[in-house]
Amino acid sequence: MLVCQCNMIKQSEIERTIVDLLDADPWQLIVPAKVYHALSKRGRCCGCFPNVVETIIRVTEEYHARSEASAVEIVSHLDRVRSLRGQYGSRRHEGRTTSHRAA
């Protein structure tokens, strides 16, 4: 399945890159920019980033479920992201005052 039309990146390429990054350091924080950098690409319209984030969460959880880490060490990434979305999701104006105008 094609995830990023701007760069023609498939789901399988993103998943493989995430696993490669996790093989290097299983507890690193992986964000879309890190995945794109590893693929030697860059986000253009960034419309695919929400799908990439969901893929990162899914692949990371599967990776840690297959690993030999204890259940105490494994953190539910999806729950953490959902809590962050709830905490920061209501700020539509990025914290700017109403009198602030960009350029």
Side-chain angles (χ1 to χ4, degrees), residues 57 61 71-83:
I57 292 167
E61 285 182 337
V72 176
E73 293 177 327
I74 298 173
V75 178
S76 173
H77 298 287
L78 189 55
D79 290 340
R80 289 179 63 196
V81 170
R82 283 185 183 141
S83 70

Side-chain angles (χ1 to χ4, degrees), residues 43-83:
R44 294 179 186 206
C45 76
C46 300
C48 59
F49 277 20
N51 291 334
V52 174
V53 168
E54 293 299 324
T55 303
I56 291 168
I57 292 167
R58 180 179 49 78
V59 171
T60 302
E61 285 182 337
E62 291 170 359
Y63 182 89
H64 286 292
R66 288 189 313 261
S67 74
E68 296 177 7
S70 69
V72 176
E73 293 177 327
I74 298 173
V75 178
S76 173
H77 298 287
L78 189 55
D79 290 340
R80 289 179 63 196
V81 170
R82 283 185 183 141
S83 70

Side-chain angles (χ1 to χ4, degrees), residues 1-15 18 32 35-36 39 45-56 58:
M1 180 173 99
L2 194 63
V3 173
C4 179
Q5 294 179 359
C6 298
N7 291 303
M8 302 301 286
I9 302 173
K10 292 188 250 178
Q11 180 84 19
S12 59
E13 293 175 294
I14 291 174
E15 292 171 352
I18 294 167
V35 173
Y36 275 64
L39 290 168
C45 76
C46 300
C48 59
F49 277 20
N51 291 334
V52 174
V53 168
E54 293 299 324
T55 303
I56 291 168
R58 180 179 49 78

